[in-house]
Amino acid sequence: MPSQHPLELPEILSDIALYVHKRSLPACARVSKGWYQAFIPQIWMDVHLRTDGPHLEAMPRYGHHVITLDVDLEGHALGSLRCPNLQSLTLTQCPRSTQLVLSHPHITRLSIHDAQLLPELWTTLLQLHSLRDLDLNGVSVLEQETDMFWQLCTRLERLSVYDVFFTSKGHLSFMEFPGLKELHVDLYGIPLPLEFMLRCQNLTAFGLYGGSMGRQELNDLVERIASGTWPNLHSITILPDKVSEDNLVSIMNGMQQITCLRLNCSSAIRTETMDLLRRHFFSLNTLCLDSEKGAVTSPIAQELLSSCPLLERLWLGQIDATVIAEGKPWVCSRLRTLFMDLQFDPSTITDIQPRVFEQISRLCRLEHLKLWDRMANSEGTVARFQTTVDLRLENGLDKLSTLRSLRVIEFRDSIQRLGEKEIEWMLGHWKSLEEIRGKLHEEEPEEAMPSQHPLEIPEVLSHVASYVHERSLPACAQVSKGWYQAFIPHIWKDIKLITQKPGPEAMPRYSHHVKKLYVSVRNLLPDLPQCPNLQSLTLSEYPGSTELVLNHPHMTHLCIYQGQLLPELWTILPQLYSLRELDLQMTVVPEQETDTFWQLCTRLEQLRVFNVSISHQGQLSSMAFPGIKNLAIEFTEDAPTILEFMSRCPNLAVLRWSGRMRRQDSYKLVERIAVKTWPHLHSVSLGRQKIPEEELISIINNLQRMTCLEVACLSVIQPGTMDLLRPHFASLTTLDLDRYARPPSTSPIAQEILSSCPLLERFSFDHIDATVIAEGRPWVCTRLKFLAMQFQFDPLTISDIQPRVFEQIARLYRLGYLKLCSGFIKLPFQTTADLRLENGLDKLSTLRSLRVIIFDNSIQKMGEKEIEWMLEHWKSLEEIQGKLNREEPEIQDALARILQKHGVFVKLSPFQIFGSKMDSTLRSLRAFLFDNSIQKMGEKEIEWMLEHWKSLEVIRRKLHEEEPREAMLSRHPLELPEILSHIASYVHERSRPACARVSKGWYQAFIPHIWKDIYLTTRRPELEAMPRYSHHVKKLYVGVENLIPDLPQCPNLQSLTLSKYPGSTELILNHPHMTSLWLSQGQLLRDLWTILPQLHSLRDLSLTSINISEQETDTFWQLCTRLEQLRVWHVSIPHQGQLSSMAFPNLKKLIVGFTKDVPTILEFMSRCPNLAVLRWTARPYRQDSYDLIERIAARTWPHLHSFSFERQNIPVDDLINVMNSLQRMTRLEAACLSVIPPDTMDLLRPHFASLTNLKLNPYADPSIAQEILSSCPLLESFSFDQVDATAVAEGKPWVCTRLGFLAMHFQFDPLTISEIQPRVFEQIARLYRLGYLWLCRGYDKPPFQTTADLRLENGLDKLSTLRSLRSITFQGSIQKMGEKEIEWMLEHWMSLEKINGKCNAVDPVMQEKLVQLLKEHGVEEGH
């Protein structure tokens, strides 16, 4: 073994820091402070801020590292965030983000998702003069904001708008957009896309997705292309509409060069049309013209493949295999994606298929091959199976051995009869294969599994835990230790303390996880521990809680109900300076505490009062409440006081009033809305308060933007009134007009709402004429989660109309609650929906998120097949309300039992009842609550309540003892965007391209990571693709001189490496914001030395094999004054210049390798007072090394904690001086001239608690290794020489469970090895994070019989816990392993990549067999 591990070489460490996967970055950052400084910028380079992501508190410390920021924190204040190097910003559901954007005027890319932009934000966007790329998704642009949007577009180079709705086109006709080159638009939202495109003269690429253009507008677009409106246009994607043959001809005639053409052709392409396409054969790289069967004929397909040398992606339909087999050789050797449905004659397939495979074998770069298209083939199953491709070796599979880059192969819906020999052949020849889509064998399908399931990745598991239902969390936590660590914070995040659970004795152990706490038992309060991360506290039925509230001054939400607050608690509440949300229920605010209450409200953002008495106004008339934005009032008699309070909340945005007000009070409320007392108000819910239609009109007229409207009118809402609602269709999320919008006149209104409100999430309407829905436009409200509508069917046409109605509902794939019948209005049963399969129930198979379905008071005649269908397709179903079969009670009971067996709760009426006794004298009773009790009421009890308790308004708590089934994840974890984004950041770079081709969502998640780190060489990636993806590039390595002039600007570049190129002035000048620069193997030009000091963001500089001339020396020193990290490797600095008059206070890490100018480096180091990490890889003169040690002993660098002195042997006295002088040591790597005595190690013991890396080879005393391993809990890398195995076996248990690298040569007594070795392996087995294990030195060969014996009979099975082991080394030892040992390793060490050493040094035949077995499973074997 060499004296220095390759991972300790500075240049290798630097490469690791730049290109390591994000999942491994935190672990790497904990190796040492040097690694921390190298890896922490990568950890924080791309940040996604959300409620369960990185804490906002950490942003000020690491904000300068952030380049890309994704914010998903609805309701949080973001103005304090500062990221000076930010280049890309993504905002998701962040309406209050003006200050955040204003603080980062230099960003070049901005993406806004699912948010309503405030007017001041639009004004701010116009100030972003560096903005070149804008992405809007799920955003509504109001009329007054349209012109600001067009003005912003005048500076853009790329624009992407998806699910964006405009209420007006503004002054578009007066605008021009000369800079816009790339445009992607969905046709649901943007008005007049053609008119907009006409004003983009320099457009080079555009894509139209979703919706429909209309035939006339499509013809106009084609005419513009044909007339040369966009002379630089070379890439076209039009997916919504089918393009006719004439339009295709016009498009090709109007483009000088075509690189990408993706169209849906309405008919087969004629031969004369191909003449036009042939002109572009030498530029085409993407082609898709096939949307219908036969659009591209077999001869045309063959010609394309044999004539387009630059083709990279090609989609084809059904192709006659004989034409391919007999055609000219294919020339598209760059093809990476090929979709084609090969059709064979069963009688000639054995002859034709090998010749077809010979054509495919020419595609040496092919990565994705699809040989069967289920959608294109609509023939019967018998005809299909006999003509599809047969992937058996006897039919020519071996011809495809050249496809070494193949990652995905598809042959869905075809019958294959593959055997072991075919699979072994694929694994042997297709080394890059990652996925097979299709059944491998008709009788015994095989499922390809990844080497590591996504749910085993800790980061992914943590996110999955955040979405699991609380009732399932404890069961998940018992799966394994990893699952326990991921789920236990979520189990304790939201705690309800009642008499049963959880036990108060467990609180001290888990209190740091608690964020929400609910307390309803008095005697628990004195014993509750402090919860340091508590955010929300709820106190029920307890009047005094002073101590508990006082212990949590940082909480942001407080809820108190059913109790009288003590005076001392009123004194404490104003001290909660972080309190932003207050919830009071069934509480009285005494007169003497009224002013305290109002004073407390001045800091609140959200206030909810339920049955709260505030009889005195106090000093309310002299106060203001600018922070209140959300106000909920329920069942209060102090309406005048509340109205006066509301009038002093100028920024009120959300108002919810549940309960009936006096007529004059409701009139005053509507009057204040009419005079725009609250200009930001956008959500109004008046619950049970009935208002005249005139007041409803007044409310709608005076809200600038409406998101929620829940009202009840005294009369039927007229269609004319709904005209006022139309301007708000683009922003509405909740609309409840139930009971008071009646048919027949209002059914078209409901249809219009559902087909025009894209953001709608909740919608309640009463009777709807089903025919209007069936014949109306498609619904666009795909975000709808709650739908309550009673459809009215004509019994004579229900079988025809109902399936079309269900097709509309089937578009609502996020629907969770569906109510199909009104429970309080009795209608003729025969007109309601009929939920049977013969009447279209199967149309609703897309409602995979459906949890509750209600069809009360309707006659259903379901059978077992309908119930089985629901259980199969509605996986999230929890509750059904209504009788399944009203006519046959026996079938009803049987169906209910089937549902209950599968955990679906069947409710036969709105309330199920079993009996009780009540007091009829409580005529004034308004609210009836019976929390934490099980009731068994029946219909007679409910009728009795309604008869005797006339004032009853609310009943709280469940009326039946049965609990619904545990909530299930409605979607697979890999379909959640948040999880997919994290997986993308941890997938290996070789697997990312295949992942990006899975779907559009995966493409968006993976493409930034594919292009994040780029090596530009003669082979990859293609330079032509750089302009399109350059905004993703953050790290760029250039090793080819002639590529430099053609490189585009990379706006988000952070790190640049130039190798073997002396001049790169223009490239560096185009990227002034980069933080890291590496120059190697070249003479820097003088103009480059002039430019380097202008890189004000540069913090990390690496120079390799470079000479610094005398006239450039001072410039180099001046540049170093700003650096935090410097690497010099084979760098000559013969002149000191003005070094003696300079200081370098920012430099914290210095790596020096193989330099002859040691005096200059030492002088430079003496002027770095804050140096913390020093790594010297060289052999300086003895005097120089003495000077270095002397300066360390004199504490020239008081912050130094990491010291590496490699390739230079130092005396023991020098080592003692180093250990004596470092106050805290994290890393020590040194080689001594003599054996280190045991008493010297006494100096090392004070650092045991902080040591992470230790290497003292080759002269350390063997007796101290056991003590180090049993005393250093943070140790991550440990190298030692010969160690007595008996001392390890009999020693204390090792505590260094973080150890990732272990290199030790164990010495065993041959007579006791069978007893001692298993005990040694038990010690090693504690290191469950171990990735690299060296058990023998390569440079010193001890007697073979004393080394470790890796056989199962000698304890190898003890190492089954090393699941992270990637490499094991036992060179220089004689092993006698067999197949059972290798199979055991492959089974238990799932991450194993390499074995260094002969597995069987005695039997060459067995050795060769074992090597072959390892290769088959992707494990490298080296001697």
Side-chain angles (χ1 to χ4, degrees):
M1 186 177 93
S3 61
Q4 186 181 18
H5 190 274
L7 292 182
E8 296 172 359
L9 295 173
E11 62 272 17
I12 295 179
L13 177 60
S14 175
D15 286 338
I16 292 174
L18 292 174
Y19 308 115
V20 75
H21 298 294
K22 193 171 183 178
R23 181 180 58 188
S24 305
L25 288 173
C28 294
R30 293 192 293 268
V31 171
S32 66
K33 187 167 184 180
W35 282 53
Y36 176 87
Q37 292 174 343
F39 282 91
I40 204 68
Q42 311 305 318
I43 294 174
W44 283 88
M45 180 177 64
D46 191 354
V47 174
H48 188 175
L49 277 181
R50 56 189 183 280
T51 54
D52 56 348
H55 295 293
L56 280 171
E57 294 80 2
M59 285 296 292
R61 180 178 180 185
Y62 300 104
H64 61 287
H65 296 303
V66 179
I67 303 297
T68 302
L69 179 61
D70 190 340
V71 182
D72 187 359
L73 290 173
E74 184 176 7
H76 286 67
L78 305 172
S80 60
L81 288 179
R82 294 293 185 274
C83 304
N85 299 315
L86 189 66
Q87 297 180 14
S88 176
L89 176 62
T90 299
L91 301 172
T92 303
Q93 296 182 347
C94 298
R96 298 180 297 164
S97 52
T98 306
Q99 189 61 36
L100 177 62
V101 176
L102 197 60
S103 301
H104 303 88
H106 300 296
I107 56 176
T108 58
R109 183 182 185 276
L110 178 63
S111 180
I112 302 178
H113 296 253
D114 301 327
Q116 180 63 41
L117 305 189
L118 298 179
E120 56 267 24
L121 183 57
W122 282 107
T123 306
T124 302
L125 294 181
L126 293 175
Q127 302 176 26
L128 304 179
H129 300 293
S130 299
L131 191 65
R132 295 296 179 267
D133 187 347
L134 179 62
D135 184 355
L136 298 179
N137 194 329
V139 174
S140 297
V141 181
L142 302 183
E143 182 176 359
Q144 62 271 24
E145 301 163 350
T146 306
D147 288 339
M148 288 188 282
F149 172 75
W150 299 132
Q151 184 64 34
L152 180 62
C153 291
T154 58
R155 295 198 300 268
L156 298 180
E157 295 179 358
R158 182 185 182 276
L159 175 63
S160 175
V161 286
Y162 294 94
D163 201 13
V164 175
F165 286 81
F166 294 75
T167 57
S168 169
K169 67 176 183 178
H171 293 86
L172 175 61
S173 57
F174 299 98
M175 310 287 289
E176 296 291 338
F177 311 94
L180 201 63
K181 298 180 180 179
E182 187 174 348
L183 176 64
H184 298 276
V185 182
D186 76 336
L187 300 179
Y188 285 122
I190 189 167
L192 303 175
L194 179 56
E195 182 177 352
F196 174 63
M197 292 168 60
L198 289 177
R199 305 186 177 279
C200 307
Q201 306 94 319
N202 297 317
L203 205 62
T204 61
F206 74 80
L208 302 180
Y209 314 88
S212 178
M213 294 184 66
R215 178 54 54 187
Q216 183 59 42
E217 190 172 3
L218 178 60
N219 291 336
D220 291 344
L221 173 62
V222 173
E223 184 179 343
R224 295 288 182 175
I225 297 174
S227 62
T229 303
W230 303 286
N232 300 321
L233 189 66
H234 59 77
S235 174
I236 292 181
T237 299
I238 304 177
L239 297 182
D241 299 274
K242 294 187 180 299
V243 178
S244 65
E245 180 83 4
D246 294 336
N247 286 341
L248 178 59
V249 171
S250 299
I251 289 173
M252 290 191 289
N253 273 328
M255 298 177 67
Q256 296 183 5
Q257 182 186 25
I258 298 178
T259 60
C260 173
L261 190 61
R262 297 183 63 190
L263 305 172
N264 287 336
C265 295
S266 59
S267 61
I269 300 175
R270 296 192 301 266
T271 305
E272 53 268 24
T273 306
M274 284 301 298
D275 294 337
L276 299 174
L277 189 61
R278 289 185 181 95
R279 296 184 303 177
H280 306 284
F281 274 0
F282 288 94
S283 61
L284 267 178
N285 62 51
T286 300
L287 182 63
C288 176
L289 298 176
D290 194 56
S291 65
E292 294 186 355
K293 184 176 180 180
V296 176
T297 62
S298 300
I300 293 176
Q302 166 61 25
E303 183 178 1
L304 286 168
L305 291 162
S306 59
S307 306
C308 300
L310 302 183
L311 205 60
E312 295 184 3
R313 296 189 299 168
L314 181 62
W315 286 265
L316 301 171
Q318 293 184 3
I319 303 299
D320 184 359
T322 305
V323 175
I324 300 297
E326 297 176 354
K328 291 189 299 182
W330 293 355
V331 299
C332 49
S333 58
R334 298 189 180 190
L335 205 66
R336 300 179 185 272
T337 300
L338 176 60
F339 285 17
M340 59 194 303
D341 177 11
L342 290 170
Q343 301 289 312
F344 293 91
D345 183 342
S347 61
T348 61
I349 187 172
T350 56
D351 175 47
I352 296 297
Q353 183 171 283
R355 294 157 64 187
V356 172
F357 283 179
E358 286 180 0
Q359 292 276 42
I360 298 176
S361 67
R362 302 175 188 275
L363 314 178
C364 56
R365 299 184 184 181
L366 195 64
E367 297 179 357
H368 191 162
L369 176 60
K370 186 174 182 180
L371 294 173
W372 174 261
D373 189 351
R374 171 175 52 186
M375 301 303 296
N377 198 319
S378 58
E379 301 177 11
T381 55
V382 176
R384 284 191 326 207
F385 292 149
Q386 63 189 14
T387 60
T388 55
V389 66
D390 184 358
L391 296 177
R392 286 183 291 179
L393 288 171
E394 54 262 37
N395 282 335
L397 176 64
D398 57 316
K399 302 290 184 181
L400 303 181
S401 61
T402 58
L403 307 184
R404 298 184 181 89
S405 301
L406 192 65
R407 298 189 177 188
V408 180
I409 183 171
E410 296 188 49
F411 42 83
R412 289 192 179 111
D413 291 346
S414 66
I415 287 186
Q416 300 294 334
R417 296 181 176 87
L418 306 186
E420 281 190 43
K421 59 181 180 180
E422 280 81 14
I423 301 303
E424 291 176 354
W425 185 92
M426 292 179 184
L427 296 173
H429 293 83
W430 298 343
K431 298 295 187 180
S432 301
L433 190 63
E434 297 174 354
E435 186 176 356
I436 295 178
R437 299 174 184 173
K439 289 186 177 181
L440 304 176
H441 197 278
E442 183 181 15
E443 293 83 16
E444 299 178 2
E446 298 277 345
E447 295 184 2
M449 297 185 64
S451 60
Q452 185 180 20
H453 194 277
L455 293 184
E456 294 177 0
I457 300 175
E459 296 82 358
V460 175
L461 186 58
S462 176
H463 283 272
V464 172
S466 63
Y467 301 115
V468 174
H469 194 278
E470 60 181 4
R471 290 193 295 268
S472 303
L473 289 171
C476 294
Q478 295 166 2
V479 172
S480 64
K481 186 175 180 180
W483 283 54
Y484 177 86
Q485 294 173 344
F487 281 86
I488 203 68
H490 297 275
I491 293 174
W492 283 87
K493 181 175 66 174
D494 191 352
I495 293 299
K496 293 184 179 180
L497 279 179
I498 56 179
T499 54
Q500 290 86 12
K501 66 170 190 177
E505 61 279 357
M507 281 290 291
R509 180 178 179 185
Y510 300 104
S511 60
H512 61 286
H513 294 305
V514 179
K515 295 182 180 180
K516 297 182 181 179
L517 179 61
Y518 173 95
V519 184
S520 63
V521 183
R522 299 188 184 189
N523 55 9
L524 290 182
L525 286 176
D527 302 324
L528 286 180
Q530 187 174 4
C531 304
N533 298 315
L534 189 68
Q535 297 177 6
S536 175
L537 175 62
T538 301
L539 300 172
S540 173
E541 302 180 9
Y542 185 61
S545 53
T546 307
E547 188 68 25
L548 181 61
V549 175
L550 197 60
N551 287 336
H552 302 90
H554 300 295
M555 60 182 173
T556 59
H557 175 258
L558 177 63
C559 178
I560 301 176
Y561 65 94
Q562 301 184 34
Q564 175 66 44
L565 304 190
L566 297 181
E568 57 268 23
L569 188 56
W570 281 109
T571 307
I572 290 174
L573 291 182
Q575 303 176 25
L576 304 179
Y577 298 107
S578 300
L579 193 66
R580 295 295 178 266
E581 300 178 16
L582 180 62
D583 191 345
L584 297 179
Q585 302 183 27
M586 297 185 180
T587 302
V588 176
V589 180
E591 180 178 1
Q592 62 274 20
E593 306 297 349
T594 305
D595 291 339
T596 304
F597 173 70
W598 299 130
Q599 187 62 39
L600 178 63
C601 290
T602 58
R603 293 200 302 268
L604 298 180
E605 295 180 359
Q606 179 173 318
L607 174 65
R608 180 173 181 262
V609 288
F610 174 82
N611 270 0
V612 175
S613 175
I614 314 174
S615 56
H616 303 277
Q617 292 193 13
Q619 299 182 9
L620 177 61
S621 59
S622 61
M623 305 187 75
F625 309 93
I628 294 287
K629 298 179 181 178
N630 192 322
L631 180 62
I633 309 296
E634 299 185 34
F635 305 106
T636 181
E637 296 180 355
D638 304 311
T641 302
I642 296 298
L643 287 172
E644 178 65 21
F645 167 71
M646 290 170 56
S647 67
R648 302 182 178 281
C649 303
N651 296 317
L652 190 65
V654 178
L655 172 62
R656 185 179 184 88
W657 195 306
S658 299
R660 295 192 176 101
M661 294 181 283
R662 293 179 301 175
R663 184 69 195 93
Q664 60 269 30
D665 293 329
S666 66
Y667 176 78
K668 289 180 181 179
L669 174 60
V670 175
E671 188 180 45
R672 293 185 180 183
I673 295 176
V675 298
K676 298 186 178 180
T677 304
W678 306 289
H680 303 291
L681 189 65
H682 60 78
S683 175
V684 177
S685 176
L686 299 183
R688 302 188 178 192
Q689 181 64 32
K690 296 181 181 180
I691 62 174
E693 188 174 7
E694 303 82 47
E695 295 186 1
L696 174 61
I697 292 173
S698 180
I699 291 175
I700 299 176
N701 266 332
N702 292 281
L703 296 184
Q704 293 185 7
R705 180 178 66 94
M706 186 187 300
T707 60
C708 172
L709 180 62
E710 295 178 310
V711 295
C713 281
L714 290 170
S715 60
V716 175
I717 300 174
Q718 299 301 321
T721 305
M722 299 305 294
D723 294 338
L724 303 174
L725 194 62
R726 289 187 178 90
H728 304 285
F729 278 177
S731 60
L732 267 176
T733 61
T734 302
L735 184 61
D736 186 352
L737 300 176
D738 207 359
R739 305 189 192 189
Y740 302 102
R742 306 259 179 109
S745 60
T746 56
S747 295
I749 295 175
Q751 165 62 21
E752 182 180 3
I753 291 171
L754 291 165
S755 60
S756 305
C757 299
L759 304 183
L760 203 62
E761 296 182 1
R762 289 177 61 90
F763 183 63
S764 298
F765 216 80
D766 200 15
H767 307 310
I768 302 294
D769 184 359
T771 304
V772 174
I773 301 298
E775 297 176 353
R777 291 186 303 163
W779 292 357
V780 299
C781 49
T782 55
R783 300 187 181 189
L784 207 67
K785 299 178 182 177
F786 180 99
L787 177 63
M789 300 174 69
Q790 172 154 346
F791 295 99
Q792 289 183 313
F793 294 92
D794 183 343
L796 300 178
T797 60
I798 187 171
S799 59
D800 175 48
I801 296 297
Q802 182 172 280
R804 293 156 65 186
V805 172
F806 283 0
E807 286 180 359
Q808 293 277 40
I809 299 176
R811 302 174 190 274
L812 315 178
Y813 63 92
R814 298 182 184 178
L815 197 65
Y817 185 103
L818 177 61
K819 185 175 182 180
L820 293 175
C821 187
S822 174
F824 52 83
I825 296 180
K826 307 286 186 181
L827 293 176
F829 293 139
Q830 66 270 24
T831 62
T832 56
D834 183 0
L835 298 179
R836 287 184 293 178
L837 288 171
E838 53 261 37
N839 281 336
L841 176 64
D842 57 316
K843 302 290 184 181
L844 302 180
S845 61
T846 59
L847 306 185
R848 299 184 182 91
S849 301
L850 191 66
R851 297 188 174 190
V852 179
I853 182 171
I854 299 175
F855 41 84
D856 285 336
N857 300 322
S858 68
I859 290 183
Q860 299 296 333
K861 300 176 183 179
M862 299 186 204
E864 191 171 340
K865 60 181 180 179
E866 280 80 16
I867 300 304
E868 292 177 351
W869 184 93
M870 292 180 182
L871 294 172
E872 178 184 355
H873 293 86
W874 298 344
K875 299 293 188 181
S876 301
L877 190 63
E878 298 176 355
E879 183 176 338
I880 293 179
Q881 295 186 18
K883 281 199 173 184
L884 307 171
N885 193 311
R886 186 179 290 271
E887 295 183 351
E888 301 184 47
E890 297 82 4
I891 295 180
Q892 162 67 29
D893 294 340
L895 299 181
R897 284 194 295 270
I898 294 175
L899 289 170
Q900 290 172 356
K901 182 180 178 181
H902 289 81
V904 179
F905 177 52
V906 180
K907 204 171 187 178
L908 300 182
S909 65
F911 303 101
Q912 285 200 327
I913 306 172
F914 294 93
S916 70
K917 294 182 180 180
M918 304 181 186
D919 193 345
S920 61
T921 61
L922 305 178
R923 297 183 180 88
S924 301
L925 190 66
R926 300 175 61 189
F928 184 38
L929 296 91
F930 37 88
D931 290 342
N932 303 323
S933 65
I934 293 180
Q935 300 296 329
K936 300 179 181 179
M937 300 183 192
E939 190 173 349
K940 59 183 179 180
E941 282 80 16
I942 300 302
E943 292 176 351
W944 185 93
M945 292 180 188
L946 297 174
E947 178 184 354
H948 294 87
W949 297 345
K950 299 294 186 181
S951 301
L952 188 64
E953 295 179 351
V954 63
I955 293 179
R956 179 164 296 179
R957 197 53 180 167
K958 291 188 177 180
L959 303 178
H960 195 273
E961 63 177 342
E962 293 189 36
E963 295 287 342
R965 179 182 61 156
E966 293 185 2
M968 296 175 60
L969 283 174
S970 60
R971 301 170 65 187
H972 191 278
L974 292 185
E975 295 178 2
L976 297 173
E978 300 85 354
I979 295 178
L980 183 59
S981 176
H982 282 270
I983 292 177
S985 61
Y986 307 129
V987 171
H988 194 279
E989 60 181 5
R990 289 193 297 269
S991 304
R992 287 172 179 167
C995 294
R997 291 191 293 271
V998 171
S999 66
K1000 184 176 180 179
W1002 283 54
Y1003 178 87
Q1004 293 173 345
F1006 281 87
I1007 203 69
H1009 298 276
I1010 292 174
W1011 283 87
K1012 183 175 67 174
D1013 300 345
I1014 294 300
Y1015 283 83
L1016 277 182
T1017 62
T1018 55
R1019 295 180 298 277
R1020 76 180 260 278
E1022 299 297 339
L1023 190 60
E1024 294 80 6
M1026 279 291 288
R1028 180 178 180 185
Y1029 299 104
S1030 60
H1031 60 286
H1032 295 304
V1033 179
K1034 296 179 180 178
K1035 297 179 182 178
L1036 178 61
Y1037 173 91
V1038 183
V1040 182
E1041 182 174 344
N1042 56 9
L1043 290 183
I1044 296 287
D1046 301 325
L1047 286 178
Q1049 186 175 5
C1050 304
N1052 299 315
L1053 190 68
Q1054 295 180 4
S1055 176
L1056 175 63
T1057 300
L1058 299 173
S1059 176
K1060 299 180 181 179
Y1061 185 61
S1064 54
T1065 307
E1066 188 69 24
L1067 181 61
I1068 295 178
L1069 197 60
N1070 287 336
H1071 302 90
H1073 300 294
M1074 61 182 172
T1075 58
S1076 176
L1077 178 63
W1078 190 313
L1079 303 171
S1080 63
Q1081 302 184 31
Q1083 179 64 43
L1084 302 190
L1085 299 180
R1086 183 163 300 177
D1087 54 350
L1088 187 56
W1089 280 108
T1090 307
I1091 291 173
L1092 291 181
Q1094 302 177 24
L1095 304 179
H1096 300 291
S1097 300
L1098 193 65
R1099 295 296 179 267
D1100 185 351
L1101 178 63
S1102 300
L1103 300 177
T1104 302
S1105 301
I1106 290 176
N1107 297 323
I1108 300 177
S1109 63
E1110 181 176 0
Q1111 59 272 26
E1112 300 160 350
T1113 304
D1114 290 339
T1115 304
F1116 171 70
W1117 298 131
Q1118 187 63 38
L1119 180 63
C1120 291
T1121 57
R1122 292 198 304 267
L1123 298 180
E1124 296 179 359
Q1125 181 170 315
L1126 175 65
R1127 299 179 184 88
V1128 287
W1129 195 268
H1130 285 291
V1131 174
S1132 174
I1133 316 176
H1135 306 278
Q1136 293 192 11
Q1138 299 180 8
L1139 176 61
S1140 58
S1141 61
M1142 306 186 74
F1144 310 93
N1146 296 320
L1147 200 68
K1148 298 178 180 178
K1149 181 175 181 180
L1150 178 62
I1151 300 176
V1152 181
F1154 303 105
T1155 181
K1156 297 180 180 180
D1157 304 308
V1158 176
T1160 302
I1161 296 296
L1162 290 175
E1163 178 64 22
F1164 168 69
M1165 290 169 56
S1166 67
R1167 301 183 178 281
C1168 304
N1170 295 317
L1171 193 65
V1173 177
L1174 174 60
R1175 186 167 186 177
W1176 196 303
T1177 304
R1179 292 185 177 177
Y1181 296 108
R1182 182 68 193 96
Q1183 182 59 41
D1184 296 327
S1185 65
Y1186 176 78
D1187 292 343
L1188 175 60
I1189 300 299
E1190 189 178 46
R1191 294 186 183 188
I1192 295 176
R1195 297 190 175 176
T1196 304
W1197 305 290
H1199 304 290
L1200 190 67
H1201 60 79
S1202 176
F1203 178 71
S1204 298
F1205 202 55
E1206 304 176 41
R1207 300 180 184 266
Q1208 174 66 31
N1209 294 334
I1210 61 175
V1212 175
D1213 294 340
D1214 287 353
L1215 179 62
I1216 292 174
N1217 286 333
V1218 170
M1219 289 191 288
N1220 269 330
S1221 303
L1222 298 184
Q1223 296 183 5
R1224 181 177 69 93
M1225 187 188 301
T1226 60
R1227 181 178 189 137
L1228 180 61
E1229 296 179 349
C1232 290
L1233 291 169
S1234 58
V1235 175
I1236 303 174
D1239 54 349
T1240 305
M1241 300 308 296
D1242 294 338
L1243 302 174
L1244 190 62
R1245 290 186 177 92
H1247 304 286
F1248 277 177
S1250 61
L1251 267 176
T1252 61
N1253 292 66
L1254 185 61
K1255 180 179 180 181
L1256 295 175
N1257 291 357
Y1259 299 109
D1261 191 327
S1263 63
I1264 63 171
Q1266 166 61 24
E1267 181 182 1
I1268 292 172
L1269 291 165
S1270 60
S1271 305
C1272 299
L1274 302 183
L1275 203 61
E1276 297 180 2
S1277 177
F1278 183 62
S1279 298
F1280 217 79
D1281 200 18
Q1282 298 182 6
V1283 177
D1284 184 2
T1286 304
V1288 172
E1290 298 176 353
K1292 292 190 297 181
W1294 291 357
V1295 299
C1296 49
T1297 55
R1298 299 188 180 188
L1299 208 64
F1301 178 93
L1302 177 64
M1304 299 175 67
H1305 173 48
F1306 292 99
Q1307 291 182 315
F1308 293 94
D1309 185 340
L1311 301 178
T1312 61
I1313 187 172
S1314 60
E1315 177 188 357
I1316 297 298
Q1317 183 171 281
R1319 293 158 64 185
V1320 172
F1321 283 179
E1322 286 179 358
Q1323 293 277 41
I1324 300 176
R1326 303 175 189 274
L1327 316 178
Y1328 63 91
R1329 298 184 184 179
L1330 196 64
Y1332 298 88
L1333 176 61
W1334 294 58
L1335 293 175
C1336 186
R1337 299 182 309 173
Y1339 57 84
D1340 187 11
K1341 301 185 183 298
F1344 291 143
Q1345 64 271 23
T1346 62
T1347 56
D1349 184 359
L1350 298 179
R1351 287 183 291 179
L1352 288 171
E1353 54 262 35
N1354 281 337
L1356 177 63
D1357 58 317
K1358 302 291 183 180
L1359 302 181
S1360 60
T1361 58
L1362 305 185
R1363 298 184 182 92
S1364 301
L1365 193 66
R1366 302 176 62 185
S1367 175
I1368 182 171
T1369 299
F1370 43 82
Q1371 289 175 334
S1373 66
I1374 291 183
Q1375 300 295 332
K1376 302 176 182 178
M1377 299 186 207
E1379 284 190 50
K1380 60 180 180 179
E1381 280 79 16
I1382 300 302
E1383 291 175 353
W1384 183 93
M1385 293 180 182
L1386 295 172
E1387 177 183 356
H1388 293 85
W1389 298 343
M1390 304 297 286
S1391 302
L1392 191 63
E1393 297 176 355
K1394 187 174 184 179
I1395 291 179
N1396 294 312
K1398 285 191 175 183
C1399 299
N1400 194 311
V1402 179
D1403 187 349
V1405 176
M1406 177 59 70
Q1407 166 65 17
E1408 186 63 29
K1409 187 175 182 180
L1410 299 181
V1411 170
Q1412 186 63 31
L1413 181 60
L1414 290 170
K1415 288 183 178 179
E1416 290 175 358
H1417 289 81
V1419 179
E1420 181 183 355
E1421 192 272 345
H1423 302 328

